[in-house]
């Protein structure tokens, strides 16, 4: 299977899933359990994406300047800092660590 065939199949599956979503009765989605599952699934997927982007490099796990930067960002978010401050501080930590050679 070529890359374009895989992209085409993935696009067809996405459209099919979206169409199936419109066919689900509204009463099913308004129930507390599906709403709670959807909320938790969103958080879990976002956490997995952050973990993969922070620690992954191809097939290897890499601990570099991204890890302390994410930890600084998480700490600032816990302190309810503004989003721009969080992003700037995390970028500054990563840049300084790379500049000083502590984390490549």
């Amino acid at each position: 299977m070529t890359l374009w065939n895989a992209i085409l199949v993935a696009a067809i599956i996405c459209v099919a899933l979206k169409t199936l979503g419109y066919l689900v009765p509204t009463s099913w989605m308004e129930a507390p359990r599906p709403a709670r599952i959807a909320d938790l699934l969103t958080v879990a997927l976002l956490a997995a994406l952050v973990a993969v982007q922070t620690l992954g490099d191809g097939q290897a796990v890499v601990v570099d300047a991204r890890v302390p930067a994410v930890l600084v960002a998480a700490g600032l978010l816990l302190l309810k800092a503004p989003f721009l401050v969080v992003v700037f501080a995390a970028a500054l930590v990563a840049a300084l660590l790379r500049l000083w050679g502590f984390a490549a």
Side-chain angles (χ1 to χ4, degrees), residues 43-95:
V43 172
L45 288 173
L46 183 58
L49 177 64
V50 168
V52 167
Q53 292 297 314
T54 301
L55 299 172
D57 186 23
Q59 295 291 324
V61 175
V62 177
V63 178
D64 59 5
R66 295 176 290 184
V67 175
V70 169
L71 292 175
V72 166
L76 288 173
L77 286 173
L78 286 174
L79 295 173
K80 303 203 185 293
F83 183 71
L84 288 176
V85 172
V86 171
V87 171
F88 182 75
L92 183 65
V93 167

Side-chain angles (χ1 to χ4, degrees), residues 91-102:
L92 183 65
V93 167
L96 288 175
L97 285 174
R98 288 182 174 140
L99 177 68
W100 295 331
F102 289 123

Side-chain angles (χ1 to χ4, degrees), residues 27-41:
S27 60
W28 288 6
M29 296 311 293
E30 291 175 351
R33 178 175 272 174
R36 181 76 176 142
I37 290 171
D39 289 343
L40 292 175
L41 187 62

